[in-house]
């Protein structure tokens, strides 16, 4: 179904034993694996079983990449603030592993909106944009109002008070007045990266 | 308490009889009156009792202004879309009646953000900005990131679906990353206009 | 910005006079127009001013199409139930007007899931899928688990009780375990159709 | 009232002392006991007082089974993902202890829906199905659309972001378009297992 | 799939034309039909096409019953208040049409709890209980604490204020401390009646 | 204002230093003090400064009672389950310290409703009833339907899943169909005990 | 149970026929009746059957009072704004009919807090206070901080925007920092009046 | 943009390394810095890099103040309870650092409303009031009803149960009936202090 895409394991809520068993078995069948929402202290035990697995701490991923995919096209991954990095990286690494070139543009949120303006050209040069933001979550809508590319909006749980763990950013993105946006779950960098890659692939003439 | 401010009656939830009785009595005591959230079909009956009362249909106000206040300073009232006009006008007329000059700049929402950029100078020339927006409600935050004036954000109930009658716009404004903003209740143009006038008055050296 | 896309007016919350003024003026500048969320009883008055404007009752659209766009590629628009038709048609007509071929496959919801299975081939032949569903909103996730194309999920307000005007379907779609999905606002057929067209265009080699 | 059913103690929110006192006293009166939502570190102390009590770590249960009930009929317990196991096992062990044969079919969620299809026959052979799912929670509805048996849906708190600790899965299940489903509280494996046993008993001609 | 169960059409959100087309076609294929959530003013037009269709005003149902099912077993349908009747009747008529004997016991809510006590014997004599309640929604839990039969709880939207259109009754039922209960959507009498019939059938030895 | 009532300090969210300073100063002015929501590990430090202060671990209270109030009348404090004890005791000790006789009747929730019935006489003999319950929260409503005394309902956060930290129990109590009830905040045993004492005092002819 | 209290019928959600049938039958058994939440256009039909029944339009009540209760003690009913009158009157008339003297003090909300201060003496002279408020709902808490009488707080649905149909006022009252308050459902004037009378009765030495 | 205002870093959700890097770099460019939401255990490491940085434990701030701003005008910062101090101090220190004189008046909440009355004169002497409150959050509305100065309301998360982490206080403030108030996010002392300083500056004739 997922042409060329690595197998994926969602590790949150699984015990270390379950994770090792699943990854071990998969690593015997598939060259490339992605384990998301991993805990740092599981890495040594996993690595003991699968020595060539890698750990990406910011993105909270374990990655096995025995047959790297050929990279194509361009996915822009942009984020509003420093605290959104884990989710932005989760998206970027996911799409990269699947075979997309990534253009990372971070820390261009609304509080310093002029930083965004200087990157509009680069955004037009990507096939699709993943826009990650917490707090008020306005970045994806502003970008979509200025750049004619599909925007995948990722609300993050970064914020406090009436942010309600990401609900506020989520609602902002769903209610955007500029069309050309769709939204994934709060903190779902993986889903955004996956979908961005699907679109990038299509734009590069592959189905 | 409210130096020079007209008496105010909130008409929603009051019967026509109650409204007439209250306004009649007040119009004998005070030269200036403001009735908010009025229904058009109450106007004729009210006018019969107070012939010089006026009706402002967009802002849904009845206004009695026998001793117009001297106008001072400048309050900018800006809005994102056409459907936000009733609330923007409620704010504008309230502050105007109280004695502020108003600069109305409408229809400069995020979907066409370039329209906003051409008005930044005017916004810097006001003492305070009332920013009215529904849908995603990002306008006040973007403005506050670009203009160093107090911004009073007014979320409106304009939107649908996950807008939840204005909740989404309200949360966006409360979670704004650019400081210098505070928010009033959904659709509370009156409250925003009143507060803007208070601040404008202070800026003009009056207390 | 929106290459070749018709100008769009969101009519909900606007008065008949405002709508006529806006559409009249735009129809003098642009060959193609789309007015969304229209009311049937506004049509005659609008048509009086713009005689060649058309009314699409199911999709609640007014359409002016003086220079039809050349159609390309394929967007599949699928829906779960009969009551979701207005939103599915809003998406379909939007993408069509913009220049996409549309494959409509309706009434294939979870309650009769076998109907879905017989259309999987057609779904693989489209570039992108708009999946519209109310009630439990499971259709987009099931489709995304079986077809390797980008899925734009549109929750509708069709349902009752703990559906909370579409909230339930929205949350289902945001929490989908099969990746390759992103979600637009409840009842936002327009946004989904617009985004689907953007992706379809990219897949057909146009930017 | 509960013919043949073991006495049950809900341990969450109780201190270790309270739990020991209650279980001790009950174990003198009743042959079979079930303690739910237990904490691992209470086990040794409890076992000291009731040496033949057992601990089921996945299901978070303490079990005393001095007079095992005769097993009858069949309850199918199915689950969507690995992280739902604790709740699925809570349901399975509860119904088993009460006297039902259990058919466990795990890890057949929507993301890999073909796995579900190969088990439809077994589901038809059970009297009642307990369907456990987190994330989008679509499994029970899909099963109920394909199998004519009562489905007891158990939403789990497995998920993140807009899952809101199980709310999303709960709403999905309540809004299912295929009838034949009813839902219990989020993570309430015990309640589902108990009710499934009641129905299984009826189906085996016992009241 | 649904052995002997009539075909069902959910009419809310469908136009009169859609309903007539669907029912007409189905009435040519199936002897028994159930149309739920109907509007009174659609009846004459429907009857013109299907003369032997019947209208049940309290339950808001259209019913075609050309081959009445043989009645078996017993489903108790109980309700808390007079205003819950439409939902209780929707459940009762659904199960009846499908082939269950119904014992209706209405108006036995918590405010006059002594009325409930005099019916406990009858409840023990049914195979399954549908318990319908709005307001605080405590009836199903109290019944389940006193009668060892499966209880299908139906929250209704009857109430006001912090009832939030049935949310309060729904939550009460989901959080019931007496096991043996599962809950359907707010106002979903149809779903409850359908499931009750499934269980009643099993208890009568039919699968 | 609070005739004879001890001074009260709410300790949650205060540092140990703040608590000691406040209590120290008050203990020099007033003979009786009540400190609520205390942490066990603050006790020794507090006792060092005020040697005759007492700690009530279940109710999470520090108590100084140098001039015990004369006890009068009767407040019944009832609770549904063992886990509700901390809140029930908070209410009981508060009213006791203020001068009410207390009749504690615990563990009489809906799951074993027969236990409630055997205490109805005692409830009629009290002036006012504090009814504490978590989970479904039905106890206060059932009691109020059977006993003609004012009922102060206290929802607790005891529960899980769709209990939403006490929201479910709170809504149940607010929507009770039997009148004669009013509700305090979730887990607010103190407020309930205080109000119960006020009413008990009135009933004993004191104002 | 309800010593001397009239029988009560909750008319919302009942048809005119149901209401007439119930009231007719009751009027043959009981001298005093209270029907709440009535619709004006039902009155003539009801009066035809029970000629001496009365209609109280502000409080939306039908009242039959053939054996007026002897009035005792004093219940203060206070309200914040004019739009809260229907609920305040529902409370006042309920308690009056049951046998309490009522002291009505209306329009003393926070916006004009000095009006409240001039009535503190009268509030001290009542046995119990019913405090009705919409909008921010602060009145009951302020009163309770100044008067040592039980306060029954009634939130009303008067407000807009983030008032969420009374939710805001409800939460304010539940979170009040001054003890001596308990809250009833939004707009539940009847429940407040009933409970106030129970307390007033106790204070007058009657049980 | 922010004339004379120190640069600000929001530290919540940032790692210690990120914080040090950002502050280090900024401290080389700007004389004055404000770091909000800091963790105590980061201080030593930060101080090692920037020896003259200061730590304000109550307000959870790191402050670098090499060129203190000249103080002007007056901002009153008032708070309801002791537990609100961290937020009140965050506001006070922010405005102070920016160049405002601060008048702190703490612990004047509704439960002891007479304490508020004795400070009304001082409040009139400030240009703007920051009013901080948790629990019911009524303080800002009461103040605004008595003092004709702009009130910036700051809800805090201090409370429990139906406070929902500050939601209740937030809604109270948004729904205030006395105009002249606007609200910032729950616990956003920084935003309130910043806006208060902007207004104070304007009132002192500076723009
Ligand atoms: N549109 C409005 N929104 C919010 N508050 C208002 C509005 N109009 C008037 N008010 C406030 O409500 C108070 C009058 O309430 P009332 O006495 O019920 O007419 C006035 O003092 C105003 O402060
Ligand atoms: N049905 C719709 N849902 C969401 N956004 C829409 C819809 N129709 C139009 N829009 C957007 O709203 C903008 C027009 O808003 P307006 O200027 O108020 O007519 C358009 O540029 C579209 O991007
Ligand atoms: N009142 C109802 N509530 C929930 N589901 C229903 C209801 N009535 C019918 N249904 C379900 O909806 C399906 C029909 O939907 P439709 O094809 O839209 O008429 C039926 O198969 C039923 O399972
Ligand atoms: N405590 C706070 N609450 C809300 N916003 C803040 C806070 N502290 C700083 N900010 C804003 O967040 C911006 C800095 O964000 P960052 O670049 O992530 O450090 C600043 O420009 C401030 O406007
Ligand atoms: Mg765009
Ligand atoms: Mg600014
Ligand atoms: Mg897919
Ligand atoms: Mg089924
Ligand atoms: Mg039972
Ligand atoms: Mg009672
Ligand atoms: Mg008091
Ligand atoms: Mg004021």
């Amino acid at each position: 179904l997922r042409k060329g895409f690595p197998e994926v394991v969602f590790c949150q809520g699984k015990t270390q034993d379950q994770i090792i068993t699943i990854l071990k078995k998969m690593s015997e069948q598939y060259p490339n694996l992605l384990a998301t929402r991993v805990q740092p202290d599981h890495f040594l035990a996993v690595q003991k079983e699968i020595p060539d697995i890698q750990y990406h701490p910011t993105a909270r991923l374990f990655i096995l990449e025995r047959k790297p995919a050929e990279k194509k096209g361009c996915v822009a991954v942009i984020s509003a603030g420093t605290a959104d990095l884990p989710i932005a990286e989760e998206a970027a690494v996911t799409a990269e592993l699947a075979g997309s070139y990534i253009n990372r543009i971070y820390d261009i949120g609304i509080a310093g909106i002029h930083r965004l303006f200087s990157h509009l050209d680069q955004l037009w040069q990507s096939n699709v944009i993943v826009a990650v933001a917490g707090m008020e979550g306005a970045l994806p809508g502003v970008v979509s109002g200025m750049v004619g590319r599909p925007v995948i909006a990722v609300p993050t749980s970064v914020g406090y008070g009436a942010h309600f763990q990401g609900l506020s950013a989520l609602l902002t993105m769903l209610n955007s007045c500029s069309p050309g946006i769709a939204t994934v779950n709060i903190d779902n960098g993986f889903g955004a990266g996956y979908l961005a890659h699907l679109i990038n692939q299509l734009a590069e003439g592959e189905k």
Side-chain angles (χ1 to χ4, degrees), chain A residues 138-184:
Chain A
L139 179 66
V142 171
V143 166
S144 178
M146 306 179 83
V147 182
R149 292 287 169 266
V151 172
I152 304 169
V154 192
T156 72
S157 52
V158 171
Y160 62 86
H163 198 249
F164 298 121
Q165 284 78 52
L167 179 64
S168 170
L170 170 65
L171 295 183
T172 306
M173 295 172 187
L174 288 169
N175 284 287
S176 175
C177 338
S178 10
I181 295 190
T183 305
V184 297

Side-chain angles (χ1 to χ4, degrees), chain A residues 12-173:
Chain A
Q12 187 174 307
K14 300 208 172 83
T15 64
Q16 182 176 290
D17 281 0
Q18 290 173 330
I19 292 167
I20 290 176
T21 310
I22 296 173
L23 288 179
K24 188 87 216 284
K25 205 174 115 200
M26 283 185 164
S27 73
E28 285 151 14
Q29 288 180 273
Y30 307 100
N32 297 344
L33 291 180
L34 186 63
T36 66
R37 304 280 168 130
V38 302
Q39 287 180 266
D41 46 326
H42 289 171
F43 184 57
L44 284 187
V46 170
Q47 203 188 27
K48 219 167 149 183
E49 298 295 321
I50 315 175
D52 53 344
I53 203 160
Q54 291 167 303
Y55 170 44
H56 193 308
T58 308
R60 291 172 301 164
L61 298 171
F62 296 155
I63 297 167
L64 187 70
E65 195 180 15
R66 291 179 181 155
K67 285 201 194 161
E70 193 194 342
K71 306 284 177 280
K72 296 214 171 159
C74 180
V75 171
V77 178
I78 70 181
S79 77
T82 305
D84 301 318
L85 270 187
I87 304 306
E89 276 301 304
E90 194 186 72
V93 176
T94 295
E96 211 162 30
L97 192 67
S100 289
Y101 279 113
I102 308 298
N103 187 1
R104 288 162 167 89
I105 313 175
Y106 292 163
D107 238 334
I108 55 169
I110 295 301
I113 203 173
H114 49 278
R115 279 180 296 206
L116 165 62
F117 300 155
S118 62
H119 292 93
L120 294 180
D121 275 7
Q122 290 181 52
L123 295 177
W124 274 100
Q125 280 153 28
S126 65
N127 285 316
V128 51
I129 300 163
V130 173
V132 182
M135 309 288 283
E136 72 203 309
L139 179 66
V142 171
V143 166
S144 178
M146 306 179 83
V147 182
R149 292 287 169 266
V151 172
I152 304 169
V154 192
T156 72
S157 52
V158 171
Y160 62 86
H163 198 249
F164 298 121
Q165 284 78 52
L167 179 64
S168 170
L170 170 65
L171 295 183
T172 306
M173 295 172 187

